[in-house]
Amino acid sequence: MKKADLLDRKILKVISVDARRSFKEIAAHCGVSRAAIHQRVVRMFERGIITGSGYQVNPKYLGFGTCSFIGIKLERGNMYNSVVQELNKIPEVVECHFTTGSYGMIIKLYSQDNEHLKDLLNNRIQEIPGVNGTDTMISLEQSISRNIPITLGDDDEPFEAATEVSFNDETDD
């Protein structure tokens, strides 16, 4: 994948902190036209550089209070794709990673409670052909959640996710 140039990095710095910023605001911050920002953002979506946008909803608000990470042992590594297809049918599974180490894959899922988790494990996940075993870790608390730091160059300090991006024409109305 081609590395991001300076303008792409400036755009990514702004939208990684607040994706709700308008193209006009981002253009003013970056010193280019709104059309240039639009073209760059569209291109970054098409190339898979920007992988999504939108609001993040707290799962607890929807009744999913238990977050778990499950290591899955596969019968054979080449069964990964078929297992992923089946896991994709389980809406509570929110992430899936093909891994090295003790497990062929690790998934993250949200369940309503321990009974729901037990049902997902026993009646859905462990029933998938190719799944040889699971090891479940329940998250007690998420302490860090952030994007990868974005820098503007070799000498630039990482742009922390909590850092505010200021805009000269912005008012607090």
Side-chain angles (χ1 to χ4, degrees):
M1 180 177 283
K2 181 181 159 189
K3 290 192 177 186
D5 66 11
L6 183 60
L7 180 55
D8 285 348
R9 288 177 179 274
K10 285 181 179 180
I11 295 166
L12 292 170
K13 243 183 171 180
V14 172
I15 64 176
S16 69
V17 172
D18 184 359
R20 296 173 293 180
R21 293 286 182 189
S22 70
F23 286 163
K24 179 181 176 184
E25 290 175 308
I26 298 168
H29 180 74
C30 295
V32 298
S33 71
R34 197 170 20 184
I37 297 299
H38 180 264
Q39 290 172 349
R40 290 290 185 118
V41 169
V42 167
R43 188 171 60 214
M44 286 190 276
F45 265 110
E46 290 171 349
R47 292 184 176 168
I49 296 165
I50 298 174
T51 58
S53 65
Y55 297 101
Q56 294 181 350
V57 178
N58 185 335
K60 290 179 183 177
Y61 180 74
L62 300 173
F64 291 84
T66 303
C67 174
S68 302
F69 296 89
I70 301 168
I72 298 176
K73 295 180 181 177
L74 300 173
E75 285 179 28
R76 295 184 316 276
N78 65 359
M79 299 185 87
Y80 174 77
N81 289 329
S82 63
V83 172
V84 168
Q85 287 177 2
E86 294 304 311
L87 288 170
N88 201 33
K89 296 175 185 176
I90 304 171
E92 293 88 348
V93 175
V94 297
E95 288 183 25
C96 178
H97 302 268
F98 195 22
T99 61
T100 62
S102 301
Y103 308 106
M105 57 198 324
I106 293 179
I107 62 172
K108 178 180 178 181
L109 69 76
Y110 286 96
S111 57
Q112 295 165 354
D113 52 31
N114 287 351
E115 287 298 313
H116 183 208
L117 175 59
K118 180 178 150 186
D119 180 61
L120 288 169
L121 284 167
N122 292 340
N123 300 316
R124 302 287 303 276
I125 295 168
Q126 293 174 350
E127 294 296 316
I128 296 172
V131 171
N132 215 18
T134 60
D135 189 11
T136 303
M137 296 159 276
I138 295 175
S139 172
L140 300 175
E141 176 181 301
Q142 179 178 338
S143 303
I144 299 173
S145 176
R146 61 180 166 213
N147 290 320
I148 190 83
I150 298 171
T151 61
L152 296 180
D154 295 335
D155 300 335
D156 190 24
E157 290 295 317
F159 188 74
E160 299 299 328
T163 303
E164 288 292 322
V165 176
S166 61
F167 295 90
N168 296 336
D169 58 347
E170 188 173 74
T171 60
D172 292 327
D173 295 17

